[in-house]
Amino acid sequence: MTHILIVEDEERIAAFVAKGLRGAGYSTTCVTRGREALALIRAGGVHLVILDLGLVDMDGFDVLRRVRDEQNPVPVIVLTARTSVGDTVAGLEHGADDYVPKPFRFEELLARIRLRLRGGGHGADVAVLTHGPLQLDLHARRMRVRDRDVDLSAREFALAEMFLRHPGRVLTREQLLSQVWGYDFDPGSNVVDVYVRYLRRKLGAEHVETVRGLGYRLVDAGVGEQPELAQR
Ligand code: CA
């Protein structure tokens, strides 16, 4: 399983990212200090690092520089509230593979992670999610229902992906909100319901069931058809 190290001293963000990554099929470790991060990276078994710049004991740039000084090629995605062009350039010069400014949406981070891991052959990078007549191609960013291509907005796509990754499981509004919209979104919003309605209109209402008082569930779309994960 692809293992991702999250180096972040803000517990709320670390927990949000870790939860999302586990849902996407990755294993995670969270640390808050640069020193711990360096020890784990040196020990091996880390396939990608998500690195905050403002850490308690060190600057994230120093962590990054040491990793690269040691000729360690592990992909590093810098995650930070610093958004100046100067910091972006510095991050890339220090050997970061990518740079995601806070606040960010989980789907954005996940897309960057997939991009960095692609070709690495670690196995978690599932290309096509299939459930009955529904087929979601994560690389081509394409949704098909039977033989029909369906146009989805980025948000609808992310929502469809959540359902297809957890077929048959009840997903609460809170889960969908945090995974698809991000930690900064107002929990009282009805945006999930609105987008589920959009999705039903596009995919067919029969695929997404309302579970009263709980949330939504992707239902078995056909007798004898099993949910399946296709690897590319
Ligand atoms: Ca920080």
Side-chain angles (χ1 to χ4, degrees):
M1 189 182 251
T2 304
H3 191 73
I4 297 181
L5 176 64
I6 302 163
V7 191
E8 167 65 75
D9 59 355
E10 228 173 299
E11 202 182 310
R12 187 177 65 116
I13 294 176
F16 165 73
V17 171
K19 195 171 113 190
L21 289 178
R22 283 196 303 272
Y26 300 103
S27 65
T28 59
T29 301
C30 297
V31 299
T32 56
R33 292 173 181 276
R35 261 168 252 290
E36 295 171 89
L38 280 171
L40 285 171
I41 293 165
R42 283 174 186 142
V46 173
H47 298 113
L48 185 138
V49 181
I50 296 169
L51 179 67
D52 179 37
L53 287 186
L55 299 170
V56 186
D57 61 334
M58 290 171 75
D59 192 295
F61 281 151
D62 292 331
V63 175
L64 187 56
R65 204 179 49 236
R66 287 193 206 181
V67 169
R68 295 304 182 227
D69 282 352
E70 291 165 16
Q71 311 293 322
N72 191 326
V74 66
V76 176
I77 296 177
V78 166
L79 196 67
T80 181
R82 300 182 199 172
T83 51
S84 78
V85 175
D87 275 328
T88 309
V89 171
L92 297 173
E93 277 178 355
H94 280 99
D97 295 276
D98 210 338
Y99 195 91
V100 178
K102 295 175 187 171
F104 60 91
R105 299 201 316 262
F106 182 74
E107 63 182 88
E108 285 172 3
L109 178 64
L110 188 59
R112 308 285 183 103
I113 288 170
R114 288 211 180 101
L115 197 65
R116 291 302 148 197
L117 289 173
R118 197 178 296 167
H122 300 307
D125 198 13
V126 171
V128 181
L129 298 169
T130 306
H131 185 67
L134 306 179
Q135 209 175 56
L136 193 70
D137 187 323
L138 300 174
H139 289 173
R141 308 289 297 170
R142 200 174 59 186
M143 175 95 219
R144 287 174 76 82
V145 181
R146 292 187 180 85
D147 297 327
R148 178 170 59 95
D149 274 327
V150 178
D151 269 337
L152 297 183
S153 70
R155 217 49 87 101
E156 290 164 352
F157 192 94
L159 188 61
E161 182 178 346
M162 270 297 282
F163 281 121
L164 278 150
R165 283 191 183 281
H166 306 99
R169 213 174 89 185
V170 178
L171 299 172
T172 65
R173 284 181 182 74
E174 188 203 19
Q175 282 172 324
L176 293 169
L177 199 60
S178 77
Q179 295 284 313
V180 178
W181 279 269
Y183 58 91
D184 277 331
F185 219 85
D186 171 17
S189 162
N190 72 339
V191 70
V192 171
D193 308 282
V194 171
Y195 271 79
V196 164
R197 212 177 308 142
Y198 294 160
L199 211 53
R200 280 174 169 158
R201 209 173 293 158
K202 290 185 175 181
L203 307 185
E206 70 275 19
H207 297 298
V208 182
E209 183 182 72
T210 303
V211 182
R212 201 175 289 276
L214 288 175
Y216 296 101
R217 170 164 64 193
L218 187 70
V219 292
D220 283 339
V223 178
E225 288 176 298
Q226 293 297 314
E228 144 189 23
L229 297 181
Q231 303 263 346
R232 182 179 275 173

